[in-house]
């Protein structure tokens, strides 16, 4: 029956590490007010509009730490163009134009992605992580602004895999 399904949904949790601490948290699906996607977030995060065509998932305990979410129109973008532009952004945001491929942790479920690429720029105290994903209907660019002490990247990436 439907009611059972709903009850089950409420008990669904996401597990992730922030800093050195492991969290297991219930989540709920949140819908963007301006772009065509939804994402499952726990109560440690909230979604807000940053500017037209860009949202951010903000970490409540340190609002400087966030994940930008952009849905790129497949009328205007190919995946390869989006990747090339994303890499230009990464080199621009690094001190010495260096970025590296990021191997996603095994805990991150990439099965929902048709294609994806992930990179990291490592500055002295902060890092920028870029995850470009292709879903059935969408190309989504996720840019995480994090630092090493707080280290929320895994939590952002795990929530990113719930995007629809």
């Amino acid at each position: 029956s439907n009611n059972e399904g709903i009850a089950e949904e409420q008990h669904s949790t996401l597990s992730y590490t922030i800093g050195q601490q492991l969290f297991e948290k219930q989540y709920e699906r949140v819908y963007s007010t301006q772009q065509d996607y939804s994402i499952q977030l726990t109560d440690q995060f909230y979604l807000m509009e940053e500017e037209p065509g860009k949202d951010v998932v903000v970490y409540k305990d340190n609002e400087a730490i966030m994940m930008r979410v952009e849905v790129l129109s497949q009328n205007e973008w190919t995946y390869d163009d989006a990747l090339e532009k994303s890499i230009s952004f990464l080199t621009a945001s690094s001190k010495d134009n260096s970025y590296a491929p990021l191997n996603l942790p095994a805990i991150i479920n990439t099965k929902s992605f048709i294609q994806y690429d992930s990179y990291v720029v490592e500055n002295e105290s902060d890092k920028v992580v870029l995850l470009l994903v292709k879903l059935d209907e969408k190309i989504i660019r996720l840019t995480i602004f994090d630092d090493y002490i707080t280290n929320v990247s895994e939590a952002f990436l795990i929530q990113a895999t719930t995007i629809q």
Side-chain angles (χ1 to χ4, degrees):
S1 78
N2 282 342
N3 288 349
E4 280 171 29
I6 291 166
E8 230 169 77
E9 181 73 349
Q10 287 167 350
H11 296 300
S12 299
T13 59
L14 293 174
S15 301
Y16 48 71
T17 302
I18 293 177
Q20 302 298 311
Q21 193 177 355
L22 180 65
F23 291 92
E24 183 158 339
K25 292 271 196 179
Q26 294 193 5
Y27 59 76
E28 63 176 300
R29 187 161 286 284
V30 180
Y31 292 81
S32 170
T33 52
Q34 62 163 350
Q35 298 186 87
D36 176 27
Y37 75 92
S38 63
I39 184 170
Q40 289 169 348
L41 299 179
T42 72
D43 64 5
Q44 292 178 291
F45 299 87
Y46 65 89
L47 182 68
M48 61 174 274
E49 291 181 20
E50 183 182 39
E51 55 184 77
K54 294 180 182 177
D55 295 330
V56 282
V57 174
V58 180
Y59 177 50
K60 289 180 184 175
D61 286 358
N62 178 347
E63 297 190 337
I65 293 181
M66 61 184 72
M67 176 171 69
R68 180 179 293 144
V69 185
E70 299 166 89
V71 178
L72 307 176
S73 157
Q74 293 200 80
N75 301 330
E76 295 167 34
W77 292 87
T78 66
Y79 186 87
D80 291 342
D81 286 340
L83 186 57
E84 196 179 309
K85 286 278 192 310
S86 300
I87 287 172
S88 301
F89 167 78
L90 284 177
T91 50
S93 63
S94 75
K95 294 191 170 56
D96 52 4
N97 292 337
S98 68
Y99 63 95
L102 175 69
N103 293 324
L104 296 181
I107 190 171
I108 289 162
N109 173 15
T110 54
K111 288 187 186 65
S112 58
F113 305 151
I114 293 170
Q115 192 176 355
Y116 70 93
D117 285 274
S118 46
Y119 293 96
V120 61
V121 168
E122 299 187 319
N123 295 320
E124 281 152 41
S125 59
D126 62 282
K127 57 183 168 175
V128 180
V129 174
L130 186 116
L131 176 64
L132 186 70
V133 303
K134 185 173 175 135
L135 303 173
D136 286 333
E137 303 294 318
K138 310 179 177 97
I139 297 169
I140 297 177
R141 177 164 54 199
L142 301 150
T143 312
I144 296 169
F145 301 92
D146 196 2
D147 66 44
Y148 295 108
I149 295 168
T150 321
N151 203 9
V152 188
S153 296
E154 183 186 276
F156 281 129
L157 289 167
I158 285 173
Q159 291 172 105
T161 64
T162 70
I163 286 186
Q164 291 178 356

